[in-house]
Amino acid sequence: MDINKYKESGILELFVLGSLSPEEEQQVLQHLKQYPALRAELEKIEEAMEAYGQANAITPPPNMEASILQQLDPVEGQVPPKPEESLPGSGRRINFNVLLTGIAVAASLALLTWGIFQNTQLKQQNTQIQALEDNIREMETACALETQQKEKAELLLALYKDPQTRPIELSGTDNAPEAIAGVLWNPNQQKTYLDIANLPAVPSNKQYQLWAIVDGTPVDMGVFDLVIGTNGDTFIEVPFIEEPQAFAITLEDQGGSQQPTLEEMVVYGAV
Amino acid sequence: MNVFMYMNQYQRKVSLEREIIQLLRQRDKQGVTLLYQNYAGALFGIISRIIQSQEIAEEVLQDVFLKIWDNFDKYDAEKGRLYTWLSQLTRNLALDKVRSASYRKKAITDGFDPALSRSEQLAESLYMEDSGLRKVVQSLDKNYSELIDYAYFKGYAQSEIAKELGIPLGTVKTRMRSAIKQLRRILQHELMILVLMILWC
């Protein structure tokens, strides 16, 4: 057989392309066995084919590789050969029972740990909440106080501005020559305020008492303590009375007395 | 590329092929990964020249890999190299798909002619680009040039040529082989394959 002619016939190309009938293919295989030169030629053709195929390759979409591999999974189990045997390379015969138990144990442990963690967290959170609530209460109290003081300050301001307000100065007596007190008396608003800023301190068993002289008679206006407001507020509100002629403060026993102890008068001022 | 580089590349290619074959014979999925990395593009190229719909082409690629995986025991190294077997399998699957009802349905919805291969679409542009080749083909005996004209430039399948020219399919085949024989004398190896690849589809 003329090898060159055989080559030139193009039959090897057609063989590579798979275009020959089974009989023709068999013939070619026979010839390939007989003539190594033909085999070499065949290899060249195959290489050229592959080179051409690679040169004209089109990259499939990126997700294809994963779907193809996934697709092969179920097929695996259906392979006829020996289910008992496990090939060294493949090792895919997993004992599912062991695996499931393992997973269950791991899951339980995880759940338990998580549960404990959650509990600790919860306790922490409760403590935090308590602290926050306490804080809020404190702030509310402080806020209320502030509001009170603000209101008082506003009142006093209004009082001062009001032309109807009569300021009465109570000057110190011989008992306390340096003492001064002030009264803001407003018949319009029906309010009376006493400024206690410059009154001397009181012995522990005594208390100051305010009197208003009306129709020549002293009227009890109540006892008070020298408590100065947090913002330096020295005014205390006292009962309102119509047509006072004078105001006086005496030092009495704790709780006050029905009649003023005139010897213990500290300040006095006529309206 | 000098001889050593070529030999090196060649050897690497051979050992890679051997590795893939071994892995696939053992049904090791690593074999599929290697197969994909090295051949998926080339095979998808073959499919895409036959199947006009991208969607269906992707389906066919999946089918190809599944078939390779299921039928690898049928691969006979005696008959040829790995790529030869892969490409033949791919081509056959793609052609089967073209003849399927689902493909015809898709053609209707997507608006293309299922009878045409995608390479026929290419033929138009190829016709313009390969005027040099055309001249060469025209220098062949009239019978042969006519055949190649139909097959290459118009993308007819051999059976379609037989119908068109009113000659038996066997005659078409015989003449085609002779035409190739003549072409071989004229063209280089690689170019020959180029022509054959177009004719093939």
Side-chain angles (χ1 to χ4, degrees), chain A residues 13 27 36 51 67 71 95 98 138 140 171 181 183 201:
Chain A
E13 278 86 353
Q27 282 178 9
S67 359
Q71 174 192 230
N95 187 338
V98 174
E138 275 178 32
E140 279 175 346
S171 343
V183 169

Side-chain angles (χ1 to χ4, degrees), chain A residues 13 39 46-47 50 79, chain B residues 13 27 78 81 84 184:
Chain A
E13 278 86 353
R39 181 107 269 171
E46 285 185 301
E47 274 174 49
E50 188 172 345
V79 175
Chain B
K13 187 111 230 307
R27 297 212 114 217
E78 275 292 302
R81 290 175 55 167
T84 306
R184 266 183 71 111

Side-chain angles (χ1 to χ4, degrees), chain A residues 214-243:
Chain A
V214 182
D215 283 336
T217 329
V219 179
D220 177 22
M221 297 288 272
V223 292
F224 60 89
D225 291 314
L226 289 182
V227 179
I228 296 180
T230 44
N231 58 348
D233 173 30
T234 56
F235 277 88
I236 57 172
E237 188 170 0
V238 294
F240 177 78
I241 197 158
E242 299 278 8
E243 294 174 16

